[in-house]
């Protein structure tokens, strides 16, 4: 695996490692209040990122593009911004970071929709 596929899967595997550590911390402390942040880190940061990585691996023509590299940057930034944003929102410290991260995450998915449609064979 190389290029953007590698970066999606590698970054996603770091995200899920952090998500698991957060899950273990929740279990040990008995405080599950940040469970939505944990869920989004694992599902958007790992499952979604890994699916993007596998797609780009299976469709190399889609991977060797500036759009694919932008897709990776926007998807990763979305997770990095949205997950702490959810933590802030849950703890009543504002929702603007969560909103920014969620818009980046939506943009990432829209790029993926365009990519899939463009690379129909
Ligand atoms: C070491 C691994 C993990 C641990 C220890 C862990 C732990 C936890 C804990 C303690 C909760 C809160 C449960 C509750 O309050 O009802 C939770 C919720 C959740 N976890 Fe994990 N988890 C792990 C991995 C994962 C992974 C890999 C995923 C997804 C790919 C995942 C997805 C979720 C989801 C969707 C929820 C529900 C969140 C919610 O109700 O708001 N978790 N997890």
């Amino acid at each position: 695996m190389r290029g953007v596929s590698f970066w999606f899967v590698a970054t996603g595997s770091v995200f899920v490692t952090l998500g698991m550590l957060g899950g273990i911390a929740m279990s040990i402390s008995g405080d599950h209040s940040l469970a939505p942040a944990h869920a989004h880190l694992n599902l958007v940061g790992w499952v979604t990122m890994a699916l993007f990585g596998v797609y780009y691996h299976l469709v190399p023509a889609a991977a060797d593009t500036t759009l694919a590299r932008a897709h990776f940057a926007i998807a990763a930034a979305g997770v990095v911004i949205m997950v702490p944003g959810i933590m802030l929102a849950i703890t009543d410290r504002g929702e603007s970071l969560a909103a920014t991260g969620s818009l980046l995450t939506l943009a990432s998915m829209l790029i993926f929709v365009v990519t899939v449609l463009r690379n129909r064979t």
Side-chain angles (χ1 to χ4, degrees):
M1 194 171 268
R2 52 179 281 280
V4 86
S5 323
F6 167 80
W7 286 109
F8 267 116
V9 175
T11 307
S13 59
V14 172
F15 286 152
V16 76
T17 304
L18 295 173
M20 287 178 170
L21 289 171
I24 291 168
M26 282 195 296
S27 301
I28 292 172
S29 67
D31 178 0
H32 296 183
S33 60
L34 295 180
H38 161 85
H40 283 78
L41 180 54
N42 287 335
L43 293 173
V44 181
W46 167 233
V47 180
T48 308
M49 295 276 285
L51 283 172
F52 290 154
V54 170
Y55 171 82
Y56 284 116
H57 183 70
L58 292 173
V59 188
D64 287 328
T65 65
T66 303
L67 184 63
R69 287 184 281 279
H71 182 202
F72 168 74
I74 291 168
V79 174
V80 166
I81 293 172
M82 181 171 67
V83 171
I86 293 171
M87 295 167 82
L88 291 179
I90 289 169
T91 51
D92 289 329
R93 285 181 284 169
E95 297 191 0
S96 50
L97 208 62
T100 306
S102 62
L103 288 174
L104 285 169
T105 298
L106 175 65
S108 146
M109 191 52 74
L110 291 175
I111 290 172
F112 189 60
V113 170
V114 170
T115 300
V116 169
L117 294 177
R118 267 190 187 169
N119 288 278
R120 182 178 176 199
T121 51

